[in-house]
Amino acid sequence: MPTQMQELAGRVHEALARPWNKGIGRPRSCGLYTAVEIACMYLRQNVPQEFLGDLRNVSQSTVSRIVSALVPVVKTVLEEFVPDAKDAIEMVRGRVCLVDGTITPCWSYEGHDELWSRKKGTTGFNAQLVCLLNGDPVFISDPMPGSTHDAIAYEKTPVKKIAENSGGGIADRGYQGTGLITPRKRAKGGELSKKDKECNRRISALRAPVERVIAHFKSWRIFFADYRRPYRTYQDAYDAARGLFFFSIIWGFE
């Protein structure tokens, strides 16, 4: 919302080590508010930088410099809105939670074979999400290599501890053996009973909110389409977009 953009621009202004426009020398191609808009649009739409430059009447190189300079700042000023494991545990205590994972795709970086997800057939990162039955997101993990199976990611991230402190957790078949409630698998060469099929339908219906959370999360298209900037910049972009995801649904609605 415009009010959220104004708040974000103000936070970025306060966090900058130097004024955006120094008042001496050659002025910048755009003001700070427009620059923050460009950085957020890049994370939101994940479009070519030339396109963003055309939208704001600046060059592609200017957009690149803006993204490089401001994405880490956006990450920093929005960290307070991203729930950590302790916050998430308090939110799920005594309540049922839903767990799911998703792949955030990226380029096939040389020397990073661990990013290949055989299940999804693409390179990317594994993100684990937790929400409540009403669809309120409570936790999004740091990214793990795309080759990481959901059950392994569950064990290696704070998601396991969060689920263990909840009133019960529900997930899909990828989490079988973790202690979460999951659909039953058909035995090799066998068939599910009517009772098992009905149970699986009910579990799938209960899992619908976490699927919607993932869809909302990946409406920030930096998580949906291939990330194209250098590998070293991914963590800052992921953290900034995750911060924007939570900021957009929290700030102004307290």
Side-chain angles (χ1 to χ4, degrees), residues 22-28:
K22 300 177 183 178
I24 57 174
R26 184 178 179 181
R28 290 187 180 270

Side-chain angles (χ1 to χ4, degrees), residues 32-169:
L32 179 60
Y33 184 90
T34 300
V36 173
E37 271 192 328
I38 289 172
C40 291
M41 288 167 65
Y42 178 76
L43 296 171
R44 180 70 169 179
Q45 303 298 339
N46 196 16
V47 294
Q49 294 176 354
E50 292 89 343
F51 179 75
L52 292 177
D54 289 343
L55 282 179
R56 290 296 181 264
N57 197 31
V58 295
S59 67
Q60 178 275 327
S61 58
T62 295
V63 172
S64 180
R65 288 192 294 270
I66 288 171
V67 171
S68 297
L70 294 187
V71 164
V73 182
V74 171
K75 162 191 170 179
T76 299
V77 301
L78 296 183
E79 283 178 339
E80 67 181 271
F81 294 96
V82 179
D84 59 18
K86 184 179 178 181
D87 296 329
I89 287 172
E90 288 303 311
M91 286 187 274
V92 303
R93 198 177 297 280
R95 307 173 74 178
V96 175
C97 69
L98 306 175
V99 177
D100 205 355
T102 188
I103 293 294
T104 60
C106 67
W107 270 356
S108 300
Y109 295 107
E110 184 177 357
H112 291 282
D113 295 340
E114 76 281 2
L115 298 180
W116 174 255
S117 169
R118 186 162 59 94
K119 178 181 177 181
K120 298 296 184 181
T122 187
T123 47
F125 296 84
N126 183 311
Q128 296 290 300
L129 292 87
V130 183
C131 77
L132 301 176
L133 282 174
N134 64 2
D136 288 346
V138 298
F139 185 78
I140 298 174
S141 73
D142 288 339
M144 299 190 70
S147 61
T148 310
H149 190 277
D150 279 340
I152 301 299
Y154 172 81
E155 296 282 344
K156 290 187 174 182
T157 62
V159 173
K160 180 180 180 180
K161 188 175 181 180
I162 293 167
E164 289 176 342
N165 283 274
S166 72

Side-chain angles (χ1 to χ4, degrees), residues 158-228:
V159 173
K160 180 180 180 180
K161 188 175 181 180
I162 293 167
E164 289 176 342
N165 283 274
S166 72
I170 301 174
D172 64 20
R173 290 184 178 90
Y175 294 85
Q176 286 193 335
T178 62
L180 297 172
I181 297 172
T182 61
R184 297 183 181 182
K185 283 186 178 179
R186 178 175 61 85
K188 188 174 182 180
E191 292 292 336
L192 290 175
S193 67
K194 289 184 179 180
K195 184 177 179 180
D196 287 342
K197 290 180 180 178
E198 177 60 25
C199 178
N200 286 357
R201 279 194 291 269
R202 294 191 178 192
I203 291 174
S204 295
L206 288 171
R207 288 188 57 257
V210 74
E211 298 289 352
R212 290 194 291 270
V213 169
I214 288 176
H216 185 189
F217 174 66
K218 298 183 83 167
S219 68
W220 293 87
R221 296 185 69 85
I222 206 76
F223 300 130
F224 179 77
D226 278 1
Y227 183 78
R228 297 183 294 273

